[in-house]
Amino acid sequence: ASDVYKRQVLKYFKTKKTVMKKVLVAGGAGFIGSHLCEKLINQGNHVTCLDNFFTGNKSKVEDLISNPNFELIDHDVIEPYSNTVDEIFNLACPASPIHYQVDPIKTIKTSVLGAMNMLGLAKNENAKILQASTSEVYGEPEIHPQHEEYWGNVNPIGKRSCYNEGKRCAESLFINYHTQHNLKIKIIRIFNTYGPKMDVDDGRVISNFVIQALKGQDITIYGDGKQTRSFQYVDDLVNGMIQMMNTPDEFTGPVNIGNPEEYTMLELVQFILELTNSKSKLIFYPLPEDDPKRRRPNIDLAREKFENWEPKIKLREGLIKTGIQQPYLYDRTSLQYIKILIYNYNNNIINSLQNL
């Protein structure tokens, strides 16, 4: 009987056909998008990566370019786009203040017109579409931790409003396309994320601290350093994004995706100084306008709706993974210097982490 069962199982797997989905990732050559493209390719999908390379870079997806199931297209989402797709992940938008404040009108256009164009494509193709929104929709939160029912406390005319309000408007567009056109939509709100392929000049606090520590520069702390953030490793985020896309059509979100472990900036910087054996000193500057004092996700809804999802990578392990992969960090103006610097310090970082 067991032999018959084995033959039936083998026959099932031999005859079972895997359906290859056609997936579009807008903003796919960015930090998060490149990891998502790689994961989707590894799952057997055909992936089209759209990017205008404002903050994205071809080097982030260079390992995928030779794959016949990967396509890289230079395109700005503020312009209409058409293709045959089954699913769309819309990540297109600069995500760090130093990038999205360079051209705030362009940032708003990317969030709003980009969302409209991707929603229009999804409507035409009857495709499912996911919006990568942000914890910035909560602004300077008056509740802690932040849950999805909280409407936020956002300055609509501040320096960060081009990003915050653009993302809030995009969420509204997604919900209204769902209500008016019965479009299959998903909304996630991404909290602070780190990992391999971060740009050294992107303004993210972990990349800032690590690079300043490695270079022996003074480390910049804004405010008194007691403001908090919660940091998730990029693999946990990507797994959550794919899980969200696979939830039943009637569930739209929004859903927080983040790691609820919370650190002050002073705790984070002391941690990084120890890991890098750096002698860098701390310097303090005024807190930027509308910079939130506390940020931590309530992820109960993600735990409920996703199958066996939980942030698995602790900060220490994530920094080890990021440290091992740091040659993939690049600075457009000093690529070789950063590579040499990281090569010289890499063993020290790993040894320090292992000895903690």
Side-chain angles (χ1 to χ4, degrees):
S2 60
D3 290 339
V4 172
Y5 175 75
K6 288 178 182 178
R7 286 196 295 272
Q8 289 174 338
V9 170
L10 288 172
K11 182 178 179 181
Y12 169 79
F13 282 108
K14 285 180 180 179
T15 58
K16 181 178 174 60
K17 294 182 179 179
T18 301
V19 177
M20 177 182 287
K21 291 184 292 187
K22 295 180 179 179
V23 184
L24 176 70
V25 181
F31 161 49
I32 294 171
S34 60
H35 286 274
L36 177 61
C37 287
E38 182 177 358
K39 181 78 171 182
L40 291 167
I41 286 288
N42 290 339
Q43 289 182 338
N45 301 295
H46 182 279
V47 175
T48 299
C49 170
L50 283 190
D51 210 295
N52 69 347
F53 307 113
F54 175 61
T55 56
N57 195 287
K58 292 179 182 178
S59 67
K60 286 180 166 55
V61 292
E62 62 185 356
D63 293 339
L64 302 177
I65 290 174
S66 62
N67 192 308
N69 292 322
F70 180 77
E71 184 179 14
L72 178 62
I73 297 177
D74 185 347
H75 183 84
D76 193 325
V77 293
I78 69 172
E79 301 296 336
Y81 176 78
S82 61
N83 202 340
T84 302
V85 294
D86 301 307
E87 294 178 352
I88 302 169
F89 289 84
N90 183 33
L91 286 73
C93 191
S96 68
I98 63 170
H99 289 151
Y100 65 64
Q101 290 174 6
V102 167
D103 189 344
I105 294 174
K106 173 74 170 179
T107 298
I108 295 170
K109 285 182 175 180
T110 302
S111 289
V112 178
L113 297 180
M116 292 181 70
N117 286 327
M118 292 298 101
L119 287 163
L121 173 61
K123 180 173 178 286
N124 291 339
E125 295 296 321
N126 192 30
K128 189 169 8 176
I129 181 168
L130 180 145
Q131 167 67 5
S133 191
T134 170
S135 61
E136 293 294 327
V137 301
Y138 298 123
E140 173 62 274
E142 296 173 326
I143 65 169
H144 193 78
Q146 294 80 54
H147 55 74
E148 292 85 354
E149 289 77 20
Y150 178 52
W151 291 356
N153 176 36
V154 176
N155 178 359
I157 57 172
K159 289 184 177 180
R160 303 168 75 101
S161 64
C162 60
Y163 183 67
N164 301 357
E165 296 291 11
K167 288 290 190 176
R168 287 161 69 95
C169 183
E171 287 194 17
S172 179
L173 282 166
F174 268 68
I175 288 296
N176 284 290
Y177 263 79
H178 171 68
T179 303
Q180 192 168 337
H181 300 296
N182 199 30
L183 200 64
K184 294 173 285 187
I185 66 118
K186 309 289 178 181
I187 301 172
I188 61 168
R189 292 173 178 165
I190 299 173
F191 282 68
N192 290 65
T193 305
Y194 70 99
K197 302 185 186 180
M198 290 187 297
D199 286 330
V200 298
D201 61 351
D202 71 354
R204 287 182 171 90
V205 66
I206 286 184
S207 56
N208 281 352
F209 286 175
V210 168
I211 296 304
Q212 288 174 333
L214 289 174
K215 290 182 176 181
Q217 296 176 340
D218 291 339
I219 293 182
T220 305
I221 303 286
Y222 293 98
D224 60 8
K226 294 181 181 178
Q227 66 271 32
T228 68
R229 295 291 185 273
S230 301
F231 303 101
Q232 70 177 330
Y233 189 68
V234 65
D235 287 358
D236 287 331
L237 168 61
V238 167
N239 289 335
M241 295 175 76
I242 293 173
Q243 287 250 25
M244 180 61 174
M245 185 64 92
N246 292 333
T247 56
D249 290 347
E250 60 270 18
F251 179 66
T252 63
V255 176
N256 293 334
I257 301 184
N259 190 321
E261 293 184 352
E262 188 176 9
Y263 296 88
T264 68
M265 296 301 96
L266 290 175
E267 289 172 334
L268 175 64
V269 74
Q270 291 300 328
F271 191 50
I272 288 173
L273 287 172
E274 291 174 11
L275 302 185
T276 58
N277 291 322
S278 175
K279 304 301 181 185
S280 294
K281 297 180 181 179
L282 308 185
I283 56 173
F284 293 82
Y285 287 96
L287 197 66
E289 180 185 6
D290 298 326
D291 195 63
K293 308 296 190 305
R294 301 187 75 184
R295 186 64 61 76
R296 178 189 173 197
N298 179 314
I299 59 171
D300 290 348
L301 186 59
R303 286 168 169 155
E304 174 190 345
K305 296 294 185 179
F306 301 168
E307 184 178 352
N308 299 321
W309 181 84
E310 184 79 19
K312 293 181 172 60
I313 308 298
K314 303 293 185 182
L315 185 58
R316 178 180 299 178
E317 181 185 355
L319 288 172
I320 292 173
K321 288 175 175 287
T322 302
I324 291 171
Q325 297 293 327
Q326 276 179 333
Y328 289 100
L329 291 171
Y330 59 88
D331 183 339
R332 296 179 182 89
T333 60
S334 56
L335 173 60
Q336 294 303 319
Y337 176 67
I338 293 296
K339 282 189 174 181
I340 292 168
L341 192 66
I342 292 171
Y343 176 80
N344 289 339
Y345 276 89
N346 198 42
N347 287 334
N348 288 339
I349 295 172
I350 297 169
N351 291 335
S352 298
L353 285 162
Q354 291 175 339
N355 290 332
L356 288 178

